[in-house]
Amino acid sequence: MNLWILNEFLYFPDDKSEYIPAAIEMAILLVLCILVFNFFRRKARKDLEKTKELEEKILKEKQSLHNK
């Protein structure tokens, strides 16, 4: 690929203070991503426990019907 094409999309500011808003936004998004990831992990753990309880209940009902 021609490097001249890529140069039009790259912008590196001389004033490094222009990086501050991008760094703040990146930090906020990183924290949000971590929070959402942890939320899904907790939700999955709760759903797994509910599924195990339901499975145990069904197996007990099946065994009680089979024993009769």
Side-chain angles (χ1 to χ4, degrees):
M1 183 184 274
N2 193 351
L3 292 177
W4 178 78
I5 295 172
L6 291 176
N7 286 338
E8 291 189 26
F9 297 108
L10 295 176
Y11 170 69
F12 296 103
D14 293 329
D15 182 17
K16 300 303 179 192
S17 66
E18 293 182 26
Y19 288 122
I20 294 172
I24 292 171
E25 183 178 353
M26 183 70 176
I28 291 170
L29 290 175
L30 179 65
V31 169
L32 286 174
C33 287
I34 291 170
L35 291 174
V36 169
F37 180 74
N38 285 332
F39 169 76
F40 281 123
R41 283 182 58 197
R42 282 193 211 113
K43 178 78 170 120
R45 192 176 307 129
K46 288 179 185 177
D47 289 346
L48 179 64
E49 291 173 5
K50 287 180 184 178
T51 304
K52 284 183 180 180
E53 291 173 6
L54 181 62
E55 183 181 1
E56 290 173 3
K57 181 181 173 185
I58 292 172
L59 286 175
K60 286 179 184 178
E61 289 177 2
K62 196 180 232 185
Q63 287 176 351
S64 68
L65 290 175
H66 183 67
N67 290 337
K68 289 184 179 182

